[in-house]
Amino acid sequence: MPSSAVGIAEPAMPAVPDIAAAEAGSGQLDRLAQLCRTANFARHHLEAAVLRDANLTWTSYDVLHLTVMHRPVDTGVVAALAQVSKGSVTRYAAALIRRGLLRRSVPTKDRRRSLLAPTAAGWALNQQLRGQLIAELNTLLDTHAGASRNDIDVLRLLITAHHR
């Protein structure tokens, strides 16, 4: 008696990739990787040239800056804006509080929340660093030459596009 293959499905053939779409996606991925490398380059340079003297990393500066800009602000909002975990914000905020740059308060209506606000010293340091960061970035964009010229060109285009 011949065996019947009733109910057994043929294996599906894998989809043939669209070569043009794959090449376009590859180009987009390469551009994204270039932007990420450029951002990493800029961040590292600004940390070394400006923030190190203030004993800050880019993330700790970002927590301070976002707190100054949105005062008072919930730690969860800072985390979302900075694209870091709430635990990271808590850790950086604690260090900034110990240095007298931020203060923390707990709203009476919701004791689970934590609000951050800058102290006068935190506000002053943020203003000073912001000016130094802008000056260093302008110097970097205007005068930097050499092997990382392409990074600077991409950064300039990104900044220009962002401000339009």
Side-chain angles (χ1 to χ4, degrees), residues 12 31 34 38 42 62 67 88 91 97 102 104 108 117 144:
R31 285 190 297 279
Q34 180 71 25
T38 301
D62 207 18
T67 300
S88 292
R91 198 168 42 257
I97 290 166
L102 294 182
R104 181 187 317 268
T108 55
H144 197 283

Side-chain angles (χ1 to χ4, degrees), residues 15-31:
V16 176
D18 180 354
I19 301 298
E23 287 176 7
S26 176
Q28 290 173 332
L29 183 59
D30 291 343
R31 285 190 297 279

Side-chain angles (χ1 to χ4, degrees), residues 49-128:
V50 176
L51 298 176
R52 185 171 294 146
D53 289 341
N55 196 27
L56 295 173
T57 64
W58 183 264
T59 306
S60 61
Y61 166 75
D62 207 18
V63 169
L64 174 63
H65 178 71
L66 290 169
T67 300
V68 167
M69 299 305 296
H70 300 278
R71 62 189 178 269
V73 63
D74 188 279
T75 55
V77 171
V78 174
L81 292 171
Q83 295 294 303
V84 297
S85 71
K86 193 172 174 189
S88 292
V89 170
T90 299
R91 198 168 42 257
Y92 286 112
L96 294 167
I97 290 166
R98 282 191 302 275
R99 291 178 59 186
L101 301 173
L102 294 182
R103 65 180 176 273
R104 181 187 317 268
S105 63
V106 178
T108 55
K109 292 182 181 177
D110 187 351
R111 307 285 302 164
R112 297 169 297 170
R113 294 179 55 219
S114 183
L115 298 177
L116 299 174
T119 63
W123 188 88
L125 179 61
N126 179 71
Q127 296 308 106
Q128 173 194 340

Side-chain angles (χ1 to χ4, degrees), residues 136-158:
E136 185 61 32
L137 184 58
N138 286 334
T139 300
L140 183 68
L141 292 175
D142 291 341
T143 62
H144 197 283
S148 57
R149 180 79 234 171
N150 191 42
D151 287 345
I152 299 304
D153 291 339
V154 171
L155 181 59
R156 180 181 286 125
L157 290 172
L158 179 63

